């Protein structure tokens, strides 16, 4: 199954309100005057600093399990 086929299959089984959200988001991507890439370039120093901070948070027990994080995101979208 191609990516397009898989996408269409997902859209076909989605509830109507979810399809509308996908449509609105997609429309916004095409009509936005912002650059296509929302991520700004960062220096190596910044990446390493962010990584060190992330590792410290995990060491301090502040990390979030990926499954929990995805479940939390799913709740926010409902």
């Amino acid at each position: 199954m191609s990516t397009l086929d898989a996408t269409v299959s997902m859209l076909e089984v989605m509830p109507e309100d979810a399809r509308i959200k996908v449509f609105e988001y997609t429309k916004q991507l095409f009509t936005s005057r912002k650059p296509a890439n929302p991520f700004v370039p960062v220096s190596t120093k910044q990446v390493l600093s962010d990584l060190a901070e992330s590792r410290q948070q995990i060491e301090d027990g502040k990390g979030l399990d990926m499954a929990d994080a995805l479940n939390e995101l799913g709740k926010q979208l409902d």
Side-chain angles (χ1 to χ4, degrees):
M1 177 181 285
S2 72
T3 302
L4 179 59
D5 291 335
T7 303
V8 170
S9 293
M10 283 190 314
L11 289 169
E12 287 175 340
V13 297
M14 272 184 178
E16 182 66 20
D17 60 327
R19 273 197 302 263
I20 291 170
K21 287 179 184 178
V22 170
F23 172 73
E24 292 298 324
Y25 177 75
T26 306
K27 185 170 71 171
Q28 183 181 19
L29 288 176
F30 286 100
T31 59
S32 174
R33 299 212 185 275
K34 296 177 185 173
N37 184 355
F39 303 103
V40 296
V42 295
S43 67
T44 302
K45 183 178 178 180
Q46 182 64 47
V47 170
L48 294 175
S49 172
D50 291 350
L51 180 59
E53 181 180 347
S54 177
R55 286 180 172 160
Q56 185 61 52
Q57 289 173 345
I58 290 170
E59 191 175 311
D60 294 343
K62 296 179 183 174
L64 184 60
D65 181 81
M66 181 57 81
D68 294 339
L70 292 174
N71 286 334
E72 195 60 38
L73 282 173
K75 289 176 188 174
Q76 292 175 10
L77 294 175
D78 288 338

